[in-house]
Amino acid sequence: MTQLDVRPQVADTVIGAAEGDVRGKGLGKGSVGLVGSAVIGISTVAPVYCLTSTLGSTAGEVGLQMPAVFLAGFLPMLLVAFAYRELNKAVPDCGTSFTWTVKAFGPRVGWMCGWGLVIATIIVLSNLAGVATSYFWLLAGEITNNPSISALDDNKLVHIATCLTLIAAATAISYRGMTATKGVQYALVGLQLAVLGLFVAMAFQKASAGSFDTGLDFSWQWMNPFAVESMAAFTAGLSLSIFMYWGWDACLATNEETTGSAKTPGRASLIAMVVLVGSYLATGVAAQMAVGSGADGLGLGNPETSDNVFAALAGPVMGPLLGILLFVAVLASATASLQTTFIPVARTVLAMSTYEALPSSYAKVHPRFKTPGRATVMAGVATGVFYTVMTLVSENVLTDTIFALGLMICFYYSLTAFACAWYFRGELRRSARDLFFKGVFPVLGGLLLATVFLKTLIDMWNPSYGSGSTVLGVGSVFVIGVGLLALGLVIMFVTERRSPAFFHGQVLTKSTPALVVED
């Protein structure tokens, strides 16, 4: 009797018998283990930076249900993480979303998915560099007790020069390879998680002592997402929450450099996700108990401090001396993430170039450091130019670009989730595990993110979304978000004319796992 075994067959020279068109890139194999990969994922997300920039905004949108929204944002990311894990087992390629969506849906969808990842990462890199710059001067002013030094951040030329210096330093570290990256990250991630743990402990202490008039007693109702007052508020809070988890997939971008490339990156991503959701819930609950989520005083929802919560809470919660540690942690978080966020964008560009979807010059790997050197430098230059231009044009434009980021994140994550179910569609009836981890969970995660994408797209049309700027009566966030995706289409069509082989399916083919016939 004939049986069908649909498991992908793994070989040493290629990344699977069904994937003979998947090419090696020449990256340094075995450079990262499980812990190092998880650290890179956590670092790219930058939990302390995310918390200081979105904790207050989320509380302002959903009030006391902020912890529930953190959990709600974790759910689609967890479901998508299952998709990444299964796809990585079959095709461990540093192009991740780009490569996988090409295998599932063909070259054009895959190219746009890769574009979504690249442009989202450039936006994040520019924002991280800006935040790191601001905290550098803020910390310098705190240490010297000199407000005039802190005020240097308001000098546009000084701010841009400092920002470009940080970008150059991060680019140089990433250029030197995963070993250099890993060493820096252990220190920076360890520092920020330790300080965050200290802040949580002291916030709980202040809450139990009733140190602040706005403090609250814990309630399990905080964990109920259905208690949010409106769907619009829930969607806005969810969009912020999803942004807070973005970047965990950097674990997968290093799959060709990781020990046990088929399994280790997927496990590392799940470890990173658990650490992140635990950190967010503990910090959210502790801060809400200590100062509440209202719009007055130290309340998390105070619009005057909601965009930088830790700057407002550092002194009151931790005291003047220990409070400086929180400034250090935010700076470390933004700096660490700035450095590791180069990993996914450089390796995506490397993969796209290797498969002839971008100019071949970006496919070069440094002979000594075994890194995508030219792609890394390109990402650094693009980040520096983008941030400089946006800062000089308008602070509102820069802010709205950051708001448009959620659209890009939902776009390429949802495509990758759907790609998993479609790629493995022939395996879904093989077992309950395959049905759920390769089909049901990825589809649910993709649908949730696609829903947020569509709802955000509708909300962005309103001029009041973001900074309130408009272009011909349409919200500038909508114009930027849709415009960046449209720019990707234009570049794709130009690339197709210059490099038709990839777009004709002659380089990286649309396929499914091999069906091996056994007697």
Side-chain angles (χ1 to χ4, degrees):
M1 184 176 179
T2 299
Q3 293 180 333
L4 295 179
D5 183 0
V6 294
R7 292 172 297 181
Q9 308 296 305
V10 179
D12 292 332
T13 56
V14 295
I15 306 177
E19 314 303 335
D21 56 349
V22 174
R23 303 173 178 178
K25 319 296 185 306
L27 296 168
K29 295 183 178 180
S31 303
V32 186
L34 178 63
V35 175
S37 183
V39 166
I40 287 173
I42 295 169
S43 174
T44 304
V45 175
V48 177
Y49 153 73
C50 285
L51 283 166
T52 193
S53 60
T54 59
L55 191 67
S57 300
T58 307
E61 294 288 350
V62 300
L64 296 176
Q65 271 56 56
M66 176 252 295
V69 171
F70 285 169
L71 281 174
F74 172 71
L75 177 60
M77 289 300 186
L78 177 63
L79 296 175
V80 171
F82 289 133
Y84 271 73
R85 184 185 66 177
E86 298 303 321
L87 285 165
N88 182 72
K89 286 181 181 178
V91 190
D93 187 273
C94 71
T96 60
S97 293
F98 159 73
T99 304
W100 299 332
T101 47
V102 171
K103 301 297 291 183
F105 299 132
R108 291 174 182 81
V109 175
W111 199 97
M112 283 302 298
C113 189
W115 169 259
L117 188 155
V118 169
I119 198 65
T121 308
I122 295 299
I123 294 172
V124 169
L125 282 169
S126 65
N127 188 40
L128 286 167
V131 170
T133 297
S134 296
Y135 265 88
F136 172 81
W137 290 113
L138 183 62
L139 178 62
E142 288 287 328
I143 292 174
T144 60
N145 196 28
N146 188 343
S148 62
I149 293 180
S150 298
L152 286 174
D153 187 55
D154 296 327
N155 185 312
K156 190 164 289 189
L157 291 180
V158 172
H159 179 93
I160 291 175
T162 307
C163 188
L164 293 178
T165 301
L166 290 174
I167 291 171
T171 304
I173 295 173
S174 296
Y175 186 88
R176 292 182 61 83
M178 296 305 299
T179 302
T181 297
K182 186 172 59 176
V184 173
Q185 292 308 315
Y186 278 134
L188 294 179
V189 170
L191 171 65
Q192 62 177 296
L193 290 180
V195 174
L196 190 61
L198 180 62
F199 171 82
V200 169
M202 297 187 75
F204 278 130
Q205 182 183 30
K206 296 288 186 180
S208 64
S211 301
F212 306 110
D213 294 337
T214 55
L216 300 169
D217 293 328
F218 174 77
S219 171
W220 285 107
Q221 187 68 7
W222 295 355
M223 303 296 176
N224 179 14
F226 299 103
V228 179
E229 293 183 358
S230 68
M231 187 62 185
F234 177 77
T235 303
L238 185 62
S239 181
L240 290 167
S241 179
I242 288 172
F243 164 73
M244 292 177 69
Y245 292 102
W246 180 84
W248 56 267
D249 52 314
C251 301
L252 283 300
T254 62
N255 49 20
E256 294 186 43
E257 300 153 272
T258 303
T259 304
S261 60
K263 294 182 179 180
T264 300
R267 292 172 178 171
S269 67
L270 293 176
I271 292 172
M273 293 286 283
V274 170
V275 171
L276 290 168
V277 71
S279 301
Y280 291 161
L281 285 175
T283 306
V285 169
Q288 195 156 274
M289 288 178 64
V291 300
S293 62
D296 298 323
L298 291 175
L300 298 176
N302 188 333
E304 295 182 2
T305 59
S306 62
D307 61 341
N308 194 349
V309 166
F310 287 155
L313 296 184
V317 173
M318 301 181 70
L321 294 179
L322 290 179
I324 292 178
L325 285 177
L326 200 53
F327 289 107
V328 173
V330 176
L331 177 60
S333 183
T335 303
S337 183
L338 175 64
Q339 191 252 307
T340 53
T341 303
F342 278 102
I343 293 172
V345 65
R347 280 147 185 82
T348 298
V349 170
L350 171 68
M352 294 179 76
S353 184
T354 299
Y355 297 121
E356 301 177 31
L358 285 176
S360 60
S361 59
Y362 296 116
K364 295 181 180 179
V365 171
H366 194 282
R368 176 186 172 190
F369 300 128
K370 302 298 182 183
T371 60
R374 183 163 294 186
T376 301
V377 172
M378 181 280 295
V381 171
T383 300
V385 171
F386 180 86
Y387 188 81
T388 301
V389 171
M390 291 297 102
T391 302
L392 292 175
V393 169
S394 170
E395 292 292 339
N396 287 339
V397 172
L398 183 62
T399 299
D400 288 340
T401 302
I402 297 167
F403 271 99
L405 173 64
L407 204 66
M408 309 300 166
I409 294 172
C410 291
F411 175 73
Y412 84 85
Y413 273 162
S414 60
L415 276 179
T416 307
F418 293 138
C420 178
W422 188 249
Y423 180 76
F424 291 114
R425 62 190 183 279
E427 297 189 2
L428 300 183
R429 296 182 181 180
R430 191 175 66 175
S431 67
R433 184 201 177 280
D434 287 334
L435 174 63
F436 282 96
F437 286 99
K438 296 178 180 178
V440 175
F441 292 159
V443 168
L444 284 176
L447 287 173
L448 288 171
L449 290 175
T451 301
V452 175
F453 176 88
L454 292 174
K455 183 65 169 63
T456 303
L457 199 62
I458 294 170
D459 292 343
M460 283 179 174
W461 183 269
N462 192 325
S464 64
Y465 196 94
S467 69
S469 302
T470 64
V471 178
L472 301 176
V474 179
S476 61
V477 180
F478 179 92
V479 173
I480 291 170
V482 175
L484 288 173
L485 290 176
L487 176 63
L489 283 173
V490 172
I491 296 175
M492 183 183 72
F493 290 134
V494 172
T495 304
E496 183 172 0
R497 296 191 65 178
R498 296 184 176 182
S499 179
F502 168 77
F503 293 96
H504 291 167
Q506 298 170 5
V507 181
L508 187 62
T509 60
K510 180 180 176 182
S511 63
T512 57
L515 295 176
V516 180
V517 180
E518 298 179 352
D519 292 330

